[in-house]
């Protein structure tokens, strides 16, 4: 019996793809399959075709669904990784750099590409002779057709297996359209590149594609052979003809088998002029700035005067005698991602749009995100409902009608929203205590180093609960964030320009070439950590964190962010304060980062002999009869008991048992701090033994996870050397093999 032929893995397979822009459900379950050749995607403006291209390339986030390239899932991958896999992109609008020549464009791509193949710079020049003639000209000196040739050539230099082309013939002269059409036919015949062709030109689409998919209102209405569509004028008229909304919805609804929309009362006509980004609003007509015209599925309020909050506008070119400046690439293009302006747009829209407008003027790409819970119409790019969808229990868990519960739920949803984004270059917000509690959880979710600014009325007080372990810049608003005035305008402008400076001038890489190693220290474990630094600083950039609650959290945040090579967690004293009410507690997630990341971890029991309180009179009444030591007028230490130590040992061991990476945990049997030694106020061998025995009893040993007893005090040089040697052994071990200590 003959063997069955293997099923062909499609180059591109899109399954039930859903994408939202705020309120707008732009892609509503699109499914496509491209095995080879050219698949045309056609439809009128505003139907979601460009969104489909951008979602495939990772430039837009999918709500749900799947995009597979050669069997590999693309959803969730950043754009650069998608390009490295072999997906080329010719965007709508060409997107050439004004200050780079044609030759610099091409050679920049050629020298950074991952996949080698038949497409080289000379072959691009051979394919597009006009580019060879214009090789020394800058991007803005090219005609539209020449820019399109450059965009196509740039994409082909990646030697892609899939080429995504968005409106490649838009605005081109017929002779250039013919040249692009000929190239597409050649690519199809060669078979090395599959092409997803989004095209408005029906003639080009049907002449080059084998099949075409017709997109209507974010769904594939029909997919059929290209020749069949080319011959069916009635079908072209029904799905692609230009009609009024009322006329076109009926056949579209019939084609998609969906019910007719309900009749809505006729509203008074109001004319809104849409401005392209290069235009300036006139005095006579309301307008708003847009990269492209709105569609029926756009969210937000087009009539909102977004420029009104910005104050006086700069004069237009006609109002000045100076020549136009040389075109430079916008800062946002150089950065390549977006600054998120977040807050409650139902009450702070004017202030937030003022910040956004300043950033836009500086050339940064911005996204406004509304965190309000009032259900009022939103002028933001991302509406509250879109953020609320990220709550584990869905939108209904956020909009409950109870303000306190809604704010807490929206903060949780926003934190998860941030975790799902891959386009955040920085985040800025402004608000009162409610707005601060909404925005800062999302800011804390961002990696250390991503700029974060919170302009807040509460920024002059205790901001620990808002900042936590993150590098959030808290700026006091001076006056309430309520309207624009001479003070608030200046403060918000300073914040916006600070954000722009951080984003534009963000260092490409650390000047420290050595890998980063986290360490925890307290005053009573300082000699230990200083010796660790001496031993390891020739090989590592030693980052020392003060174990005062947020210190351990900060170290673990860096571990989660991928910024640490590993950790020597010599001082775990924050556990004492968590379990027994001290003032420097860790969180329940202590040690969690090392379980998640599997980084090499060497730890110890540093300062587990003490609970920290403030001045002596602040020690809780229940502890008044305990062994108390006044470290200084502001700090009082309490010696832990055998029972408390046993509880801590079990708690720490249970956390370490969840770590699947290499773990070495050291027990200093000579004392866990500088004042836990013979003759010192906290020397208590019985309490220490209870700690060590509980750890040994609960700790699950394995080749990767070991508990090591040493007879030294934690501050003895021999103890620090043993920890350093253990870490070096773990760091040198090959992947998948853990060295024995």
């Amino acid at each position: 019996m003959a063997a069955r032929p293997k099923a062909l893995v499609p180059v591109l397979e899109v399954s039930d793809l859903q994408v939202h822009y705020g309120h707008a459900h732009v892609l509503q379950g699109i499914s496509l399959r491209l095995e080879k050749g050219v698949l045309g995607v056609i439809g009128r403006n505003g139907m979601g075709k460009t969104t489909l291209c951008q979602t495939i390339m990772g430039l837009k986030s999918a709500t749900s669904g799947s995009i597979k390239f050669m069997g590999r899932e693309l959803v969730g991958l950043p754009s650069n990784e998608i390009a490295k896999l072999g997906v080329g992109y010719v965007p709508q609008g060409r997107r050439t750099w004004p200050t780079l020549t044609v030759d610099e464009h091409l050679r920049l791509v050629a020298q950074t590409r991952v996949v080698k193949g038949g497409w080289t710079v000379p072959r691009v020049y051979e394919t597009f002779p006009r580019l060879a003639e214009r090789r020394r000209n800058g991007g803005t000196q090219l005609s539209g057709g020449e820019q399109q040739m450059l965009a196509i050539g740039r994409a082909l230099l990646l030697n892609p297996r899939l080429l995504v082309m968005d409106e490649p013939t838009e605005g081109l002269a017929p002779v250039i359209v013919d040249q692009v059409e000929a190239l597409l036919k050649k690519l199809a015949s060669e078979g090395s590149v599959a092409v997803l062709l989004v095209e408005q030109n029906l003639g080009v689409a049907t002449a080059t594609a084998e099949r075409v998919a017709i997109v209507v209102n974010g769904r594939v209405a029909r997919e059929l052979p290209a020749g069949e569509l080319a011959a069916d004028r009635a079908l072209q008229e029904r799905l692609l003809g230009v009609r009024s909304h009322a006329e076109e919805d009926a056949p579209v609804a019939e084609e998609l088998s969906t019910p007719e929309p309900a009749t809505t009362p006729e509203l008074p006509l109001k004319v809104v002029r849409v401005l392209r980004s290069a235009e300036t609003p006139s005095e006579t007509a309301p307008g708003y700035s847009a990269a492209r015209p709105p569609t029926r599925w756009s969210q937000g309020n087009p009539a909102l005067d977004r420029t009104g909050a910005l104050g006086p506008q700069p004069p237009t070119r006609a109002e000045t005698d100076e020549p136009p400046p040389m075109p430079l690439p916008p800062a946002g293009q150089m950065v390549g991602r977006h600054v998120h302006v977040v807050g409650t747009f139902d009450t702070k829209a004017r202030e937030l749009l003022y910040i956004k407008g300043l950033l836009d003027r500086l050339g940064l790409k911005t996204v406004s995100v509304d965190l309000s819970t009032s259900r009022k119409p939103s002028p933001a790019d991302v509406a509250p409902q879109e953020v609320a969808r990220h709550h584990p229990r869905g939108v209904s868990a956020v909009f409950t009608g109870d303000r306190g519960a809604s704010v807490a739920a929206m903060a949780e949803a926003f934190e998860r929203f941030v975790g799902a984004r891959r386009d955040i270059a920085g985040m800025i917000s402004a608000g009162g205590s409610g707005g601060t509690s909404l925005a800062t959880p999302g800011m804390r979710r961002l990696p250390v180093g991503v700029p974060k600014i919170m302009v807040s009325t509460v920024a002059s007080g205790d901001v620990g609960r808002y900042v936590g372990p993150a590098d959030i810049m808290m700026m006091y608003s001076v006056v309430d964030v309520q309207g624009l005035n001479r003070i608030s305008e200046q403060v918000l402008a300073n914040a916006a320009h600070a954000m722009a400076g951080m984003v534009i001038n963000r260092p490409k890489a650390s000047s420290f070439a050595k890998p980063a190693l986290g360490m925890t220290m307290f005053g009573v474990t300082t000699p230990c950590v200083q010796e660790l630094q001496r031993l390891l600083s020739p090989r590592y950039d030693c980052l020392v964190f003060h174990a005062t609650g947020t210190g351990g959290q900060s170290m673990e945040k860096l571990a989660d962010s991928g910024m640490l090579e590993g950790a020597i967690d010599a001082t775990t004293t924050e556990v004492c304060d968590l379990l027994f009410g001290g003032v420097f507690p860790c969180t329940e997630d202590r040690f969690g980062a090392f379980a998640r990341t599997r980084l090499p971890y060497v730890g110890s029991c540093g300062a587990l002999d003490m609970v920290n309180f403030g001045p002596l009179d602040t020690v809780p009444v229940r502890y008044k009869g305990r062994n108390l030591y006044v470290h200084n007028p502001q700090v009082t230490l309490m010696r832990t008991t055998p029972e408390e130590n046993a509880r801590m040992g079990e708690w720490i061991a249970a956390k370490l048992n969840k770590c699947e990476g290499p773990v070495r945990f050291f027990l200093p049997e000579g004392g866990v701090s500088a004042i836990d030694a013979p003759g010192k106020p906290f020397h208590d061998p019985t309490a220490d033994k209870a700690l060590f025995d509980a750890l040994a009893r609960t700790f699950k040993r394995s080749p990767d996870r070991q508990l090591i007893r040493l007879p030294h005090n934690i501050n003895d040089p021999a103890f620090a050397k043993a920890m350093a040697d253990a870490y070096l052994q773990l760091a040198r071990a090959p992947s998948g093999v853990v060295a024995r200590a």
Side-chain angles (χ1 to χ4, degrees):
M1 185 174 179
R4 272 187 173 180
K6 287 185 177 179
L8 184 65
V9 176
V11 176
L12 175 68
E13 186 170 20
V14 180
S15 303
D16 193 25
L17 186 63
Q18 313 273 347
V19 176
H20 288 74
Y21 288 169
H23 296 296
H25 193 176
V26 181
L27 298 187
Q28 304 179 23
I30 279 188
S31 296
L32 296 169
R33 182 183 176 93
L34 172 58
E35 295 181 352
K36 61 179 181 178
V38 181
L39 173 63
V41 177
I42 60 177
R44 289 165 293 180
N45 284 331
M47 295 297 172
K49 305 186 302 298
T50 293
T51 297
L52 172 63
C53 295
Q54 293 178 339
T55 308
I56 291 172
M57 294 305 304
L59 299 171
K60 299 293 183 188
S61 298
T63 305
S64 63
S66 171
I67 304 171
K68 290 186 177 179
F69 167 67
M70 304 297 293
R72 175 163 180 179
E73 182 61 60
L74 298 185
V75 172
L77 292 181
S79 300
N80 62 310
E81 291 298 327
I82 293 172
K84 287 179 182 179
L85 291 174
V87 183
Y89 184 38
V90 181
Q92 187 179 30
R94 293 108 190 193
R95 303 291 180 89
T96 57
W97 286 291
T99 56
L100 295 184
T101 66
V102 168
D103 200 59
E104 288 169 339
H105 271 91
L106 299 178
R107 297 197 181 279
L108 178 64
V109 176
Q111 71 184 12
T112 57
R113 61 185 172 183
V114 175
V115 179
K116 305 299 181 183
W119 282 97
T120 61
V121 174
R123 185 179 175 188
V124 171
Y125 285 142
E126 181 183 345
T127 305
F128 300 110
R130 182 60 176 163
L131 290 183
E133 298 172 10
R134 305 277 277 167
R135 61 192 302 164
R136 302 301 179 196
N137 291 91
T140 55
Q141 298 173 315
L142 305 178
S143 68
E146 291 164 347
Q147 290 183 29
Q148 191 63 275
M149 295 176 195
L150 179 56
I152 295 172
R154 180 179 60 191
L156 289 173
L157 277 177
L158 293 172
N159 288 292
R161 183 68 185 86
L162 170 66
L163 185 61
V164 179
M165 306 183 76
D166 189 3
E167 306 280 9
T169 66
E170 180 184 31
L172 301 186
V175 64
I176 306 298
V177 172
D178 292 342
Q179 192 172 355
V180 172
E181 183 178 326
L183 173 64
L184 290 171
K185 290 178 179 178
K186 183 178 180 181
L187 291 174
S189 65
E190 291 177 349
S192 59
V193 182
V195 180
L196 182 73
L197 174 65
V198 170
E199 185 55 76
Q200 288 276 46
N201 188 322
L202 182 60
V204 172
T206 55
T208 57
E210 298 172 10
R211 295 184 63 81
V212 290
I214 303 172
V215 177
V216 178
N217 295 2
R219 288 174 281 178
V220 175
R222 288 279 297 276
E223 184 177 334
L224 68 164
E228 182 179 331
L229 178 63
D232 192 339
R233 297 298 296 273
L235 184 60
Q236 294 174 25
E237 177 67 21
R238 185 163 75 252
L239 293 179
L240 301 172
V242 179
R243 302 183 181 187
S244 69
H245 292 335
E247 292 172 331
E248 69 192 17
D249 280 345
V252 167
E254 180 183 347
E255 192 72 37
L256 294 171
S257 300
T258 56
E260 293 268 10
T263 303
T264 56
E266 187 172 348
L267 298 175
L269 178 64
K270 182 173 183 178
V271 177
V272 178
R273 185 168 66 87
V274 179
L275 305 177
R276 296 293 183 177
S277 57
E279 296 183 49
T280 303
S282 70
E283 296 294 328
T284 57
Y288 77 103
S289 178
R292 67 180 68 136
T295 69
R296 284 180 291 166
W297 303 278
S298 300
Q299 58 83 33
N301 180 6
L304 180 71
D305 183 4
R306 296 180 183 227
T307 60
L310 299 179
Q313 300 295 302
T316 63
R317 188 178 300 171
E319 296 170 335
T320 67
D321 296 327
E322 299 180 9
M326 288 293 292
L328 293 174
Q333 270 191 13
M334 292 187 287
V335 174
R337 294 192 296 170
H338 301 81
V339 174
H340 283 49
V341 182
V342 307
T344 53
F345 279 76
D346 59 345
T347 59
K348 311 296 182 190
R350 192 178 180 200
E351 298 88 338
L352 295 167
L353 290 173
Y354 177 72
I355 293 172
K356 185 179 187 298
L358 291 171
L359 293 171
D360 288 339
R361 285 189 192 176
L362 293 169
L364 275 80
K365 299 176 182 178
T366 58
V367 173
S368 53
V369 182
D370 192 351
L371 305 181
S372 59
T373 59
S374 63
R375 289 187 175 271
K376 293 180 180 179
S378 174
D381 298 319
V382 179
Q385 288 80 359
E386 168 67 10
V387 179
R389 285 191 314 100
H390 291 76
H391 194 279
R393 299 194 305 278
V395 174
S396 61
V398 176
F399 302 106
T400 62
D402 180 282
R403 186 179 185 279
S406 292
V407 168
M410 180 62 87
E412 181 179 357
F414 180 55
E415 183 178 358
R416 292 171 179 267
F417 169 86
V418 170
R421 303 288 288 196
R422 296 294 182 271
D423 64 335
I424 299 178
M427 186 173 291
I428 184 169
S429 182
S433 59
T436 306
S437 64
L438 278 167
T440 50
M443 292 183 179
R444 292 196 297 270
R445 183 69 180 266
L446 292 170
V448 170
V450 176
K452 317 164 186 69
I453 298 179
M454 182 71 232
V455 182
S456 173
T457 59
V458 298
S460 66
D462 181 5
V463 297
R465 61 188 173 125
Y466 301 114
V467 176
D471 55 337
I472 298 173
M473 175 181 169
M474 297 288 290
M475 180 178 285
Y476 182 46
S477 62
V478 183
V479 295
D480 201 353
V481 183
Q482 184 58 49
L484 294 177
N485 53 58
R486 66 182 65 187
I487 301 300
S488 64
E489 192 174 81
Q490 186 63 60
V491 171
L492 295 175
N494 286 343
H497 287 88
M499 173 59 66
M502 287 189 281
V503 171
I504 295 171
N505 299 297
R506 186 177 180 187
K508 299 298 181 184
S510 172
S511 59
F512 292 90
K514 294 181 289 188
L517 179 61
M519 297 179 178
T520 49
M521 186 179 80
F522 217 42
V524 293
T525 62
T526 297
C528 173
V529 177
Q530 288 178 334
E531 181 65 9
L532 285 167
Q533 284 183 286
R534 188 187 70 80
L535 294 170
L536 294 171
S537 58
R539 302 189 189 189
Y540 293 97
D541 182 18
C542 297
L543 312 182
V544 179
F545 298 87
H546 198 189
T548 55
T550 54
Q553 293 178 53
S554 298
M555 180 181 72
E556 296 206 34
K557 183 172 179 63
L558 289 182
D560 274 327
S561 299
M563 300 178 72
L564 292 184
E565 178 86 2
I568 301 185
D569 193 9
T571 311
T572 48
T573 184
E574 296 160 329
V575 175
C576 300
D577 289 24
L578 171 69
L579 297 182
F580 308 117
V583 295
F584 296 145
C586 60
T587 69
E588 289 287 340
D589 191 46
R590 188 68 165 92
F591 310 101
F594 302 104
R596 289 186 290 272
T597 61
R598 302 185 180 185
L599 289 174
Y601 174 86
V602 173
S604 187
C605 307
L608 286 180
D609 56 335
M610 59 188 65
V611 181
N612 294 268
F613 296 105
L616 184 60
D617 59 2
T618 67
V619 176
V621 175
R622 68 181 184 276
Y623 293 141
K624 289 297 184 182
R626 297 282 294 274
N627 181 3
L628 300 176
Y629 177 75
V630 179
H631 183 67
N632 61 49
Q634 302 303 319
V635 177
T636 304
L637 309 177
M638 180 183 75
R639 197 2 165 148
T640 51
T641 65
E643 294 75 21
E644 290 166 344
N645 280 6
R647 182 180 169 191
M648 283 191 294
E650 293 171 353
W651 193 91
I652 292 172
K655 293 288 186 177
L656 296 176
N657 289 341
K658 297 178 181 178
C659 297
E660 297 181 6
V663 171
R664 301 290 182 270
F665 200 79
F666 284 78
L667 308 183
E669 294 182 325
V672 299
S673 78
I675 57 176
D676 179 25
K680 299 296 182 180
F682 279 5
H683 183 55
D684 188 342
T686 302
D688 289 346
K689 185 176 185 301
L691 171 66
F692 302 149
D693 289 350
L695 276 161
R697 183 172 60 251
T698 312
F699 191 88
K700 295 180 180 178
R701 292 174 172 82
S702 72
D704 285 350
R705 192 185 305 115
Q706 296 181 21
L707 198 67
I708 302 165
R709 292 176 180 262
L710 292 177
H712 312 296
N713 181 278
I714 195 168
N715 289 315
D716 288 347
F719 188 81
K721 186 176 187 308
M723 295 183 75
D725 289 345
Y727 184 83
L728 291 174
Q729 286 181 328
L730 298 184
R732 284 196 299 263
S735 178
V737 178
V738 179
R740 293 185 177 275

